Amino acid sequence: IEVIDSNPELISVTLHDNPIDPEDQDDFTNSITKHPNLSAINLDNCNQTGYVCAALSGLQWVEFSSKNSNWGSVSDTEKQLLIETLAAPDTWLEKLDLSGNNLTDNDAAIFANALQTNNTLIELVLKDNQFTESCGQLFGNALRANQTLELLSLDTHIAGSRAISNALFDRSSLNSVADSNHTCSVPFKHFLTDLNERGDSTGNRHRKIYNVLS
């Protein structure tokens, strides 16, 4: 905390595998909230770090990672603050990793809805949570609306859903192919022909149209 406060040029903090004592949590949150240039935070495996969500709102953070940090104990209010930040049209957040945090289908629904309005997030990693197969439809709908996300990482039983596959490559007609999502890569080994090559949306669209015509 003293280092963060004394270095206004600091832009990134990584504290993974270092649980923060409860008596220091408020001071740590205040420190990163008022820092002028901090844009990337990594709190992987720090456990009980959901309190940091409250500091996300309004900050110009570009990257935030909190893997395996037991978000099952995070309050609904703190989760909502994070999602509202993600959904805000003027958010700065580009990369978010919340894998392995006991997130539920209710949380997946909030993320999927947020993706339909967000236009800055580039990478979203939500693997190893407690999402069921029904979440495939939620994220499939989100990918039909979102054209800026480049990577969506989900567990196999969701990433391989027909709803997501159709969002990426809808073969029902030439119009549907053209209107598919050509930007986002959703890695899944059994649907390699459905996935997009990252950074080549125009090429992805051309290859899909050719595939159907041929």
Side-chain angles (χ1 to χ4, degrees), residues 113-130:
N113 289 334
L115 287 176
Q116 298 196 38
T117 58
N118 178 272
N119 58 11
T120 57
L121 198 66
I122 296 176
E123 296 183 10
L124 178 60
V125 182
L126 296 173
K127 295 184 67 175
D128 301 322
N129 284 298
Q130 297 181 1

Side-chain angles (χ1 to χ4, degrees), residues 83-94:
I83 304 306
E84 288 175 353
T85 299
L86 172 62
D90 58 348
T91 180
W92 290 65
L93 200 59
E94 295 181 0

Side-chain angles (χ1 to χ4, degrees), residues 44-86:
D44 294 347
N45 302 303
C46 285
N47 201 21
Q48 309 291 344
T49 55
Y51 64 90
V52 179
C53 291
L56 268 173
S57 183
L59 293 185
Q60 296 179 357
W61 286 12
V62 177
E63 299 181 23
F64 179 62
S65 181
S66 180
K67 295 188 292 186
N68 304 316
S69 298
N70 193 18
W71 278 53
S73 62
V74 177
S75 71
D76 291 339
T77 300
E78 288 173 319
K79 287 181 183 178
Q80 191 64 37
L81 283 171
L82 174 62
I83 304 306
E84 288 175 353
T85 299
L86 172 62

Side-chain angles (χ1 to χ4, degrees), residues 151-163:
L151 175 67
L152 176 61
S153 184
L154 299 164
D155 288 332
T156 298
H157 64 284
I158 304 173
S161 73
R162 180 51 54 186

